[in-house]
Amino acid sequence: MGDVLAGIQATWEFETDSVLIRFERGIRTPKLFSALRERRIPHEALTSVTLSPGKRGTVVLHAVPRPGTDPLMEAAAGQLKEGCDPYRLVLPAERETLAEYYADELRALLGPDADKPAERYAVAAPEAPLNFKAYDGKASFDGSHVSFRWFWTGASSAKWKAGDQSFPVTELSGVEWRSPEVFDGYLRLLGRGAGSGPDSGDAVPQPAQADQDPAAVVFGLGYGPVHESLPFAAAVLESVRNADTAPAPAVRPGRRDPADIAERIRHLGELHGAGLVTDEEFSTKKSQLLAEL
């Protein structure tokens, strides 16, 4: 087709094999759209196309993605607000006839498997490296490892005992994202089997509460916003899907900053003094920290 349909917050460019969505920048544009910038949606990634009345004199062209084609939507798991759905193009009502034309054109290009879940991702996730600040730590992803570095002001004693974490994507089976716009939002890494560990392929049961789980970071007011944590979750999910199924050897971090080790030993001592860490736990963890120098 090669034509362009400009909406209120995005522009759709219709190509021979895909739709290129370019998101506009502005104070009224959802931050998620601004973070995504643009997305290429192959026709094979769509299951249906609808056109319906919108709010305040608008119409909405909605290209519905097939389950399993987009890691962003898979990670969101239906939690995105309607206005933040990147597959919705809002247009002035006077463009309804033109929008109906493009809707018909797209419907004609849907493949025979449009009503079936996809076996592979067809839409690319945001590219690594990515990072964001959660309430209890900083989450980073370099394309092969997910790392959590705990904040002493927010992390639980359980996470401080466990220490900073690094998870190879080859040891993960998925990501669980609970929107920061609801109560108790978090991002949790799911290990292969019953649980996960940063340096072990063993199945370890995960704590029920995310604030006690070293494989999770928790959100809060102003922490882990949708436009930062959801693209992060999608990128990890795509890498997990693309990773080899065979477990990879554990990759241990390099030498740590001595000042960082000293700070963690100091905090560990505070936990010990407060009775939150036993003598044995204090001695063991201190030895582990000193061994990282």
Side-chain angles (χ1 to χ4, degrees):
M1 290 179 278
D3 295 336
V4 173
L5 183 59
I8 294 175
Q9 295 175 333
T11 298
W12 287 16
E13 183 176 340
F14 299 90
E15 302 181 348
T16 56
D17 60 349
S18 61
V19 178
L20 178 61
I21 302 176
R22 302 182 189 275
F23 298 104
E24 303 292 337
R25 294 187 178 184
I27 58 175
R28 295 185 178 181
T29 300
K31 291 183 178 180
L32 177 61
F33 292 178
S34 298
L36 295 174
R37 296 186 180 180
E38 67 176 43
R39 310 196 80 212
R40 186 177 298 278
I41 314 298
H43 299 149
E44 65 180 280
L46 301 177
T47 187
S48 63
V49 181
T50 64
L51 183 67
S52 59
K55 299 177 181 178
R56 300 171 187 161
T58 63
V59 293
V60 179
L61 180 60
H62 189 196
V64 183
R66 288 173 62 192
T69 57
D70 187 346
L72 185 85
M73 302 306 286
E74 186 170 334
Q79 298 176 75
L80 281 179
K81 294 180 178 179
E82 189 176 74
C84 290
D85 185 343
Y87 286 84
R88 296 173 77 253
L89 180 65
V90 181
L91 305 115
E94 56 266 25
R95 296 186 186 177
E96 181 175 4
T97 300
L98 186 60
E100 184 60 57
Y101 165 76
Y102 285 114
D104 288 339
E105 290 288 298
L106 279 178
R107 292 187 191 107
L109 294 171
L110 299 182
D113 296 328
D115 59 342
K116 301 177 182 177
E119 297 181 355
R120 63 178 182 86
Y121 291 139
V123 182
E127 295 183 358
L130 295 167
N131 60 78
F132 70 90
K133 288 185 178 180
Y135 174 73
D136 56 356
K138 180 179 180 180
S140 303
F141 178 53
D142 63 6
S144 61
H145 287 71
V146 182
S147 300
F148 294 154
R149 180 183 175 86
W150 308 121
F151 297 153
W152 70 270
T153 53
S156 64
S157 59
K159 291 183 177 181
W160 274 101
K161 288 180 185 179
D164 291 346
Q165 302 290 296
S166 179
F167 299 84
V169 295
T170 51
E171 292 184 3
L172 302 177
S173 64
V175 178
E176 183 181 1
W177 180 80
R178 180 175 171 84
S179 175
E181 296 179 345
V182 299
F183 183 68
D184 284 345
Y186 59 82
L187 180 144
R188 190 198 303 268
L189 304 177
L190 305 177
R192 297 186 183 279
S196 64
D199 296 314
S200 173
D202 296 334
V204 180
Q206 292 177 295
Q209 294 182 334
D211 66 339
Q212 300 298 314
D213 187 356
V217 289
V218 297
F219 304 146
L221 185 62
Y223 293 94
V226 171
H227 69 282
E228 294 180 357
S229 60
L230 180 57
F232 184 102
V236 175
L237 198 58
E238 181 183 60
S239 294
V240 169
R241 177 73 67 88
N242 293 337
D244 294 334
T245 55
V251 178
R252 296 186 178 274
R255 291 185 178 274
R256 297 275 289 277
D257 182 356
D260 178 62
I261 295 295
E263 171 63 21
R264 295 185 179 280
I265 291 176
R266 183 193 66 78
H267 184 76
L268 186 65
E270 292 178 352
L271 294 175
H272 179 245
L276 298 175
V277 177
T278 66
D279 292 343
E280 182 179 354
E281 290 173 332
F282 174 76
S283 177
T284 300
K285 188 60 182 179
K286 182 179 178 180
S287 298
Q288 292 175 351
L289 289 170
L290 291 174
E292 295 181 19
L293 289 173

